[in-house]
Amino acid sequence: MQLVTELLGGNRRALARLITLVENGDPLKNEILQSLYPHTGKAYVIGITGAPGSGKSSLVDRLLQEMRGAGLTVGVVAVDPNSPFTGGAILGDRIRMQDHALDRGVFIRSMGTRGSLGGLSRATRETIQLLDAFGKDLILVETVGVGQSEVDIVKTADTTVVVLTPAGGDSVQTLKAGIMEIADIFVINKADLPGTERAAAEVSAMLDLKSCCDWRPPVVPAVSTRGEGIGALWQSVQEHREYLEKSGRLLEIRKERISRELTEQVEHLVKTMVWEKIKVRMTLGSLVEEIALRRRDPYSAARELLAQIEFPVP
Ligand SMILES: Nc1nc2c(ncn2[C@@H]2O[C@H](COP(=O)(O)OP(=O)(O)OP(=O)(O)O)[C@@H](O)[C@H]2O)c(=O)[nH]1
Ligand SMILES: [Mg+2]
């Protein structure tokens, strides 16, 4: 495919077009991802998650400067499950990253919700693959971490940075959402506001309770609007990466990810296949009527539907 060859040759427009095709579930999607797969696995993925308005985009903006300064190329995926917008457009002044848009070593893509959150996390993962194949050294994924489902998106990262703020009791909220468990690094952003030390102490106390693992997530205070603490954050990211690489953990977590993806892909295929068969053979409507009238039950009805399908063994 011409576009795939162009992407591999470093053509940014081909990259943008392929992301759109994949996002829209183009019929060629699997073929595209399949042919690019051998070129992936080189990029290092960093997830940045935190409550709305905690300063994730401002942090990404500053991190980009550090990373570019180190001579590395970067892809950014800004995922917002609450936004209906998707595509290349940067969402107004909420994202401060526009300055980097002219830098050819940086590629930024924002992504809004496409129906389900599950769909969004798949689209995010696929976009990461395209950026990886394109040759970006680092990929930053910004996600609004407010619920359990966003955790799925975060699971695609090698290093996960959780952004907290001193105000508003974010830390407690995040703890509830289960995001605490997946943090490799904590940032207490807006450290210019009161309560920073207390927030940092809270996180440390919580980490003390966790009797696990060789890596203790550092707690980094930052003022992203002024660029303070960004050097320390970048340092922590590199240290975490080094820890993962030296301990063999990186290979392990990447295998775990592949295992999840493979399972998900099989389930996705089975689901598609089954519903295609069921849809062509009968309508569900009458069955629903029957069940609503309590003449039937959904349990035996589901089994009967499936019993009518002859499963082809590929
Ligand atoms: N005082 C202070 N304000 C900050 C800091 N970092 C970010 N802000 C402000 O917080 C607001 C949100 O910043 P963003 O970087 O857009 O936050 P975000 O987490 O990306 O927001 P969403 O993507 O909407 O969830 C902006 O008005 C920033 O200027 C900081 O370190 N200190
Ligand atoms: Mg943002």
Side-chain angles (χ1 to χ4, degrees):
M1 192 186 183
Q2 181 67 20
L3 276 175
V4 167
T5 314
E6 282 173 15
L7 176 145
L8 292 172
N11 184 327
R12 290 167 65 91
R13 278 187 50 215
L15 170 64
R17 285 195 53 199
L18 282 170
I19 293 176
T20 305
L21 287 182
V22 164
E23 233 188 329
N24 292 341
D26 191 272
L28 290 173
K29 178 178 130 170
N30 279 356
E31 195 186 308
I32 293 165
L33 291 171
Q34 231 168 295
S35 56
L36 286 174
Y37 200 80
H39 302 275
T40 62
K42 294 182 211 89
Y44 193 80
V45 184
I46 302 152
I48 314 273
T49 189
S54 52
K56 300 177 291 298
S57 297
S58 319
L59 275 173
V60 167
D61 175 60
R62 296 290 183 160
L63 272 174
L64 276 172
Q65 289 172 20
E66 293 281 333
M67 292 162 170
R68 293 297 292 137
L72 298 162
T73 58
V74 195
V76 179
V77 191
V79 188
D80 187 350
N82 303 311
S83 163
F85 304 108
T86 196
I90 304 297
L91 312 179
D93 56 2
R94 291 179 58 231
I95 295 178
R96 305 180 61 251
M97 298 173 240
Q98 285 104 324
D99 294 353
H100 298 281
L102 294 174
D103 178 355
R104 295 191 63 78
V106 174
F107 187 95
I108 302 173
R109 180 80 173 201
S110 63
M111 203 168 270
T113 190
R114 290 255 144 173
S116 66
L117 255 175
L120 186 58
S121 73
R122 184 167 334 114
T124 303
R125 208 167 48 228
E126 289 162 355
T127 301
I128 290 171
Q129 293 204 348
L130 294 173
L131 287 166
D132 188 350
F134 185 69
K136 290 293 179 221
D137 299 313
L138 301 168
I139 299 170
L140 289 169
V141 185
E142 177 191 335
T143 54
V144 183
V146 282
Q148 184 64 47
S149 354
E150 284 84 353
V151 171
D152 289 345
I153 298 174
V154 173
K155 276 187 194 149
T156 52
D158 298 313
T159 294
T160 299
V161 178
V162 169
V163 185
L164 304 170
T165 58
D170 277 351
S171 47
V172 182
Q173 225 183 324
T174 317
L175 210 154
K176 268 192 216 143
I179 279 185
M180 234 59 182
E181 286 78 40
I182 49 161
D184 299 308
I185 297 166
F186 287 97
V187 171
I188 312 287
N189 191 41
K190 309 198 183 183
D192 51 326
L193 301 180
T196 302
E197 272 166 39
R198 211 199 64 207
E202 254 177 52
V203 176
S204 288
M206 190 205 64
L207 290 171
D208 289 341
L209 293 175
K210 247 174 81 177
S211 59
C212 161
C213 313
D214 333 331
W215 175 262
R216 183 187 163 102
V219 183
V220 184
V223 184
S224 56
T225 38
R226 297 204 295 250
E228 288 169 28
I230 307 302
L233 172 58
W234 174 224
Q235 181 67 31
S236 294
V237 170
Q238 291 175 97
E239 279 166 15
H240 184 245
R241 179 179 187 166
E242 211 175 288
Y243 154 73
L244 289 180
E245 283 172 351
K246 287 203 173 133
S247 63
R249 257 311 270 161
L250 186 62
L251 209 64
E252 261 173 59
I253 60 174
R254 287 190 168 181
K255 275 187 191 162
E256 284 164 15
R257 198 177 306 149
I258 288 170
S259 164
R260 273 200 307 274
E261 281 170 17
L262 187 59
T263 311
E264 205 186 291
Q265 192 58 27
V266 169
E267 284 167 2
H268 178 70
L269 286 177
V270 168
K271 219 156 119 182
T272 315
M273 196 173 76
V274 165
W275 281 111
E276 266 170 15
K277 300 249 172 205
I278 289 180
K279 266 184 213 149
V280 295
R281 289 186 187 205
M282 63 202 77
T283 53
L284 291 178
S286 57
L287 211 45
V288 170
E289 289 285 329
E290 297 262 292
I291 297 170
L293 290 168
R294 297 298 186 275
R295 289 193 193 130
R296 305 212 41 179
D297 68 275
Y299 311 102
S300 63
R303 301 187 78 83
E304 256 170 62
L305 280 176
L306 277 183
Q308 309 210 11
I309 297 173
E310 274 175 42
F311 284 94
V313 181

